[in-house]
Each structure stands twice: as C-alpha cells, then as structure tokens.
Amino acid sequence: MKFKLLQEFKDFAVKGNMIDIAIGVIIGTAFNKVVNVLVKEVLMPPLTLMTDGANWENKKIILREAIVADGKSKIEEIAIGYGKLIEAGVDFLVIAITVFLVVKVMNSMKQKADDPKNKTVATPKNIELMNKTNELLEKQNAFLMRLLDK
C-alpha cells in the first residue's frame, strides 16, 4: 500500500502536474505583490486625496463609541469598517481586469497559432496533422463524388 502511494506520487510529480502547480503558486504570489503595490501606492492615494486626506483603510461607521475610564477601556468600540471593503473591491477590480487582459492576449495568440494558413506563427504539430488529415479527406470525398457521378 505504501509503495503504491509513493509510486502514484512519483508519477504525479514526474508528469509535470506538481511543477505546473508550483509555477502557478510562485507567479500568483508575485502577481499578488504587484497588485498590492498598484492598489496601495498608485490607486488609493488619489482616492484619499479626493476625501481630504482620509485613509480609506481606516474609514468606518461607528455604531457605539468606546468608553474609557481611568485610562482603561471599559467598553470597546463597535464599528463597521467599510474602508477595507473598498480596498478589497479595488484589489478585485485590478486583478479581474488584469487577468481578463492576459487571457485575451493569450487567446489571440492561440488563435493565430491554431490557424494553419497563418505563416507568421508556428502552428502546433497536432493542428498541422489535423489540417493535413482534413485536406486528405476532402480530396478523397471529391474523388468518390466524381466516381459516383460516372
């Protein structure tokens, strides 16, 4: 049982799935850092400027003020922190737009590569083979149709 599980893990790792996942995690982490800097250092400062310097992260609706007596907090403040929600929303929009644009570029590159008539991009072998098979089938059908017409 142990050896079978070890063999299955080895097959999984060797086939590239594990490496693909690791690469995805590494790129995702780096992408997250870029998005955080973009939101916190590029997008949020103009929004903060529009609200007379208020930091969005600290924006909140106070439901009950904290009560402090003798320098100690007797009752903690209860507040709805909507500023962090706004930052998370901006993060989401930046990520969504960026991913959309990356996928759009990748799809257009894939369409060019999948077009066997486009000589500017190398067509993958499987598409070339399918195209040749399709051409041969069309020739065969044309030949058979001529035979049937006679």
Side-chain angles (χ1 to χ4, degrees), residues 104-139:
K104 188 169 176 74
V105 168
M106 296 294 287
N107 283 342
S108 70
M109 288 173 28
K110 186 177 184 303
Q111 284 177 340
K112 287 179 183 177
D114 287 349
D115 184 7
K117 294 177 179 82
N118 187 351
K119 300 301 177 192
T120 61
V121 180
T123 303
K125 294 291 182 196
N126 60 344
I127 302 296
E128 281 183 25
L129 290 172
M130 286 174 48
N131 190 44
K132 287 179 183 177
T133 303
N134 190 35
E135 288 173 2
L136 289 172
L137 285 171
E138 287 175 1
K139 287 180 183 178

Side-chain angles (χ1 to χ4, degrees), residues 2-69:
K2 285 185 187 179
F3 296 113
K4 184 178 180 186
L5 186 64
L6 187 61
Q7 182 61 40
E8 286 180 23
F9 179 76
K10 181 181 170 188
D11 291 343
F12 170 77
V14 171
K15 288 181 182 175
N17 295 340
M18 190 175 203
I19 294 167
D20 291 344
I21 291 170
I23 290 170
V25 168
I26 291 167
I27 290 173
T29 302
F31 184 69
N32 187 35
K33 288 180 183 179
V34 170
V35 168
N36 281 337
V37 169
L38 183 64
V39 169
K40 288 184 171 72
E41 303 297 326
V42 176
L43 296 176
M44 292 313 278
L47 289 176
T48 302
L49 188 62
M50 290 184 338
T51 59
D52 293 329
N55 188 348
W56 279 91
E57 187 175 322
N58 299 328
K59 290 285 199 181
K60 59 187 171 185
I61 299 171
I62 298 173
L63 301 175
R64 182 179 70 196
E65 294 280 341
I67 298 175
V68 179

Side-chain angles (χ1 to χ4, degrees), residues 67-98:
I67 298 175
V68 179
D70 300 330
K72 294 182 180 179
S73 178
K74 298 279 185 182
I75 298 177
E76 291 187 24
E77 173 184 86
I78 298 175
I80 298 172
Y82 66 90
K84 290 183 181 181
L85 178 63
I86 292 172
E87 280 194 15
V90 172
D91 281 350
F92 173 77
L93 285 174
V94 169
I95 291 170
I97 290 168
T98 305

